[in-house]
Amino acid sequence: MHSFSYKDGSLHCENVNLADIAREVGTPAFVYSKRDIAGSLAAFRQALSPLDAHVAYAVKACSSKAVLQLLARQGAGFDIVSGGELWRVINAGGDPALCTYAGVGKTEPEIRYALEQGIYCFNCESEEELRAIDRVAGKMGKVAPVAVRVNPHVDAHTHKYITTGTNENKFGVDIDRIEKLYAAIHATMPNLQPRGIQMHIGSQLTEVQPYLMAIEKVAPIAMSLKERYGIEFWSIGGGVGIVYDGCLESASANWWRQHPEQMTIEGFAAAVIPLLQPLGLRIIVEPGRRLVGNAAVMLTTCLYEKQGEAKLFKIVDAGMNDIIRPALYEGFHEIWPVKEHHGDTVTADVVGPVCESADFQAQDRQIPDVKPGEILAEMSAGAYGFSMASTYNSRPLAAEVMVDGDRWQIIRRRQSLQEMVQGECGLEER
Ligand SMILES: *Cc1c(COP(=O)(O)O)cnc(C)c1O
């Protein structure tokens, strides 16, 4: 299912030896497989082809220019959550008319920018936001296409920081208030045009059941909105999960046969199509993680081995500033040495150089007994990896590389120290 595997004792991405990349660009570095990203987009499209379906890639998962370019060239749309993301999409050659704009805190300049660029729809999260868009559109003499994000009260059984469809979180409008809100848009917000309805119940979902429950709850509302206001689309959000634990094995077809509980793109599509097809609406899906998550690794070098009182530490040159998922929401990444090991495992914590106790990549993990100087690959690092990176501890942003068959190119130079402080202004003399 993805393009990372050992060949001749060395971990490869497609046909490129990751050791060669590490030697030339250094570490930490993110390495993406072009084939995996393009292949996942194609798989969504193929699987959803019985519907009038459109894929809007959730840009926040990985917003690097070359990744957006790759998807834009395949005709993908984009789900954005800020004016900055819209700018990135346009800068990468993406079509604003294929952009949906989500998020609870859109500012007036962002709304104006999105209206100027002619985005497909604002996916709105509150009545106050709708009124703000109505006001801005009125001032510009435009009519803004809108959808409301419905919160269907479904527990997606995922980590508490990435569940979004229950009544305790900040996202969306309660399902019981949706129809009243559309009536208010129709009656009192003359510069808005209801174009659709939207939901997104959470991220890293590994089972299809929560989607089906949400779709069953929202479908009658979608139908009624279609009849009353002529809405044309229903965005069912993103959230399709990936394999983090067992990801190397999951590359084989055999693994998938043995894990029928793991949601695939095809399984997801087959389950939702029968519920959605009769509605006669355009269906938008907003995958982020599933398009890029398994499609990249982060390369890091083991710097030191430290035997603490209670634990063995492998200290690496990538920190929580490079990939924050383990620190932020207990994200799990398999750790594989680029040079294949046989049998010699130890239990260790893999930690970075950042001065925070939360700066770990793995805890109490059985890993090959790697030694200082060795290159490691943190697997499944493509989603919410580089896009969440910072320069905390004054550590410049990592390099990024795209592999295509047996070729590869740098898609982001490692940030220089000068670039890191660009925009900072020295204190005036007194
Ligand atoms: C984050 C987000 C997505 C993408 O979620 P994934 O789990 O990465 O697929 C889609 N839609 C909205 C509104 C989001 O906020």
Side-chain angles (χ1 to χ4, degrees):
M1 302 296 282
H2 65 74
S3 301
F4 294 85
S5 60
Y6 285 104
K7 291 175 194 166
D8 303 326
S10 190
L11 193 59
H12 282 59
C13 173
E14 302 190 23
N15 300 323
V16 175
N17 189 339
L18 291 171
D20 294 340
I21 294 176
R23 193 166 49 243
E24 289 199 38
V25 306
T27 57
F30 287 79
V31 181
Y32 300 84
S33 158
K34 187 174 173 188
R35 177 169 74 197
D36 285 356
I37 298 173
S40 294
L41 175 64
F44 266 106
R45 286 183 163 161
Q46 173 62 29
L48 293 167
S49 60
L51 301 172
D52 172 17
H54 201 82
V55 177
Y57 167 61
V59 172
K60 70 181 191 285
C62 177
S63 54
S64 299
K65 182 175 183 179
V67 171
L68 300 182
Q69 270 178 327
L70 170 58
L71 293 167
R73 285 177 192 169
Q74 320 273 330
F78 297 91
D79 188 59
I80 56 169
V81 293
S82 70
E85 284 192 349
L86 177 56
W87 188 91
R88 276 186 182 275
V89 167
I90 294 168
N91 184 49
D95 183 356
L98 298 179
C99 285
T100 48
Y101 185 178
V104 298
K106 303 174 183 79
T107 66
E108 181 165 331
E110 288 179 314
I111 294 166
R112 208 177 313 119
Y113 176 49
L115 279 168
E116 281 163 5
Q117 297 300 325
I119 63 164
Y120 179 65
C121 198
F122 290 89
N123 292 342
C124 304
E125 310 233 11
S126 66
E127 176 165 349
E128 293 76 1
E129 179 194 333
L130 287 158
R131 294 206 182 275
I133 296 171
D134 181 51
R135 217 163 38 236
V136 177
K139 275 193 256 176
M140 294 172 68
K142 290 188 184 265
V143 173
V146 295
V148 178
R149 175 170 176 174
V150 52
N151 183 333
H153 296 184
V154 167
D155 185 352
H157 305 298
T158 185
H159 191 274
K160 61 182 186 294
Y161 284 6
I162 50 175
T163 189
T164 56
T166 70
N167 58 8
E168 287 182 359
N169 59 59
K170 69 179 177 184
F171 296 104
V173 172
D174 200 279
I175 189 164
D176 303 324
R177 289 166 44 205
I178 282 288
E179 286 184 275
K180 263 209 187 121
L181 188 50
Y182 277 83
I185 295 170
H186 184 68
T188 67
M189 300 179 218
N191 308 302
L192 301 185
Q193 168 66 43
R195 183 170 245 182
I197 183 165
Q198 201 269 349
M199 68 181 202
H200 172 67
I201 56 175
S203 197
Q204 184 52 16
L205 310 193
T206 53
E207 45 184 63
V208 78
Q209 204 53 36
Y211 277 105
L212 300 183
M213 281 164 58
I215 290 172
E216 277 172 353
K217 275 181 146 174
V218 175
I221 297 172
M223 281 319 282
S224 137
L225 296 176
K226 182 185 172 200
E227 272 158 38
R228 278 194 211 166
Y229 312 111
I231 67 165
E232 67 187 34
F233 79 88
W234 180 2
S235 170
I236 59 171
V240 177
I242 63 171
V243 176
Y244 282 104
D245 193 356
C247 67
L248 271 193
E249 297 99 280
S250 78
S252 80
N254 205 23
W255 187 92
W256 287 89
R257 272 194 291 276
Q258 288 161 7
H259 293 81
E261 76 288 355
Q262 174 72 36
M263 179 165 53
T264 59
I265 292 172
E266 293 74 21
F268 164 75
V272 301
I273 284 171
L275 300 180
L276 295 171
Q277 204 161 24
L279 307 180
L281 288 164
R282 167 175 301 157
I283 301 300
I284 297 179
V285 290
E286 305 166 353
R289 191 188 309 270
R290 185 59 188 80
L291 289 189
V292 294
N294 287 138
V297 299
M298 187 194 61
L299 300 177
T300 181
T301 304
C302 180
L303 298 174
Y304 302 105
E305 192 173 44
K306 175 173 172 176
Q307 182 61 61
E309 279 303 304
K311 282 184 163 191
L312 174 64
F313 296 99
K314 304 281 184 180
I315 301 171
V316 298
D317 70 351
M320 63 190 285
N321 69 297
D322 299 298
I323 185 160
I324 201 174
R325 294 188 63 261
L328 185 62
Y329 26 55
E330 302 167 314
F332 180 99
H333 295 276
E334 285 194 7
I335 296 179
W336 291 99
V338 168
K339 184 169 146 291
E340 194 169 17
H341 283 230
H342 294 285
D344 56 335
T345 62
V346 289
T347 301
D349 280 20
V350 179
V351 300
V354 171
C355 297
E356 297 283 344
S357 295
D359 183 35
F360 58 84
Q361 303 297 327
Q363 288 180 306
D364 301 315
R365 184 84 65 81
Q366 187 93 3
I367 56 166
D369 191 13
V370 293
K371 294 299 172 193
E374 275 192 66
I375 312 292
L376 311 180
E378 285 198 27
M379 308 300 290
S380 309
Y384 309 102
F386 188 92
S387 63
M388 282 191 169
S390 75
T391 59
Y392 184 45
N393 275 207
S394 290
R395 296 168 42 80
L397 296 174
E400 293 183 291
V401 165
M402 181 79 74
V403 170
D404 182 10
D406 44 24
R407 296 146 47 102
W408 60 276
Q409 70 163 108
I410 293 173
I411 58 169
R412 181 191 302 268
R413 279 182 288 113
R414 184 176 309 287
Q415 193 178 40
S416 69
L417 294 172
Q418 193 58 47
E419 286 164 342
M420 187 177 69
V421 299
Q422 215 160 45
E424 291 185 34
C425 304
L427 193 62
E428 283 174 17
E429 298 272 356
R430 274 194 176 256

